[in-house]
Amino acid sequence: MKTENTEQFLNFCCEIGRQLIQNGAEIYRVEDSINRLMTAYGYTDTEVFAIPASVILNILDNGHNYTKAIRIRSSFINLDKLERLNSLCRQVCRETPPPDQALARLRAIAAASGYPQWGSYLAHGFVAVFFTLFWGGVPLDAFFAFACGVAVKAASSSLSRMNTNIFFTYVCASMAMVLPPLALVYLGVPVHMDKIVIGAIMLLVPGIAITNVIRDVLAGDFLTALTKFAEVLIISMALALGIAIPVGVARLLLGVV
């Protein structure tokens, strides 16, 4: 059953594609979700093209092309919103409500508050703690690794609010992570700096991005894979630089590590 307002339906499809990408969905999931929506509403002559930075849609209806492209400038991982978006997509495919109603439901999900800040800080701290223990750290190392995890969250959140680029954000976050154990070593506290740094850096390692690169290659979506692989390389270089700068300065000026 085709809707009477094709342009409004196109806006809904673009917006749900944007929300899926911004909350960490794989590209194949975005294209498949939009294709299912278009099929549910009776549109058969359609094209969907998505990459991490853009979504382009076209619907041919009664000899007229309806086309829209949107730019996506940032993305993050929010599995709660991603699950809600997937559920909305399945629900809309079953019920085929008017596009304005579907768009209202989508905007309600997009406007919903995310995880509380205190929960995010605790999660970052405890992830650093358990990874430090996993990589062979002692309880004292894990205790101070909590502060490193909190420092990573504080730095990344502050820089995100200022809309800084991804390279600078990861450089600063990794520097904030290394400074506490460096200070402890300089003060003579018997901690294993390498275990603390390795445990805390797991918060910044782009594991999901690496997994998606492999998945996109296997699916034959090489453009998306190259885009995400470039992002992985940039993040890796930023992490290396952010750790090397404070460690190198401390070694040269203070004789630490």
Side-chain angles (χ1 to χ4, degrees), residues 1 57 64 111 120 151 171 180 214 244:
M1 181 187 68
L57 306 181
H64 182 75
S120 296
V171 168
I214 298 173

Side-chain angles (χ1 to χ4, degrees), residues 40-89:
Y41 277 82
Y43 295 102
T44 56
D45 199 345
T46 61
E47 295 292 341
V48 181
F49 177 74
I51 57 175
S54 179
V55 176
I56 303 174
L57 306 181
N58 182 79
I59 296 176
L60 179 60
D61 184 35
N62 295 327
H64 182 75
N65 281 299
Y66 297 87
T67 303
K68 184 172 182 179
I70 57 173
R71 183 80 163 84
I72 301 167
R73 302 189 180 277
S74 62
S75 63
F76 44 86
I77 304 298
N78 190 324
L79 297 180
D80 178 51
K81 279 192 177 182
L82 193 57
E83 173 59 28
R84 295 185 187 183
L85 291 168
N86 287 330
S87 298
L88 175 64
C89 182

Side-chain angles (χ1 to χ4, degrees), residues 124 150-161 164 169 172-173 176 204:
H124 277 70
V150 171
V152 168
K153 173 60 180 176
S156 58
S157 296
S158 300
L159 293 169
S160 295
R161 287 194 294 268
T164 57
T169 298
C172 292
L204 299 172

Side-chain angles (χ1 to χ4, degrees), residues 182-183 186 246-257:
L182 270 177
Y186 179 71
V247 170
V249 171
R251 180 174 296 174
L252 288 175
L253 299 182
L254 305 175
V256 179
V257 302

Side-chain angles (χ1 to χ4, degrees), residues 141-199:
D141 300 332
F143 176 79
F144 289 112
F146 184 90
C148 295
V150 171
V152 168
K153 173 60 180 176
S156 58
S157 296
S158 300
L159 293 169
S160 295
R161 287 194 294 268
M162 294 186 287
N163 295 320
T164 57
N165 64 70
I166 188 172
F167 183 82
F168 186 72
T169 298
Y170 275 83
V171 168
C172 292
S174 55
M175 289 179 67
M177 174 192 68
V178 172
L179 290 176
L182 270 177
L184 292 171
V185 172
Y186 179 71
L187 294 173
V189 180
V191 296
H192 300 90
M193 179 179 168
D194 57 338
K195 302 297 191 299
I196 297 175
V197 171
I198 292 173

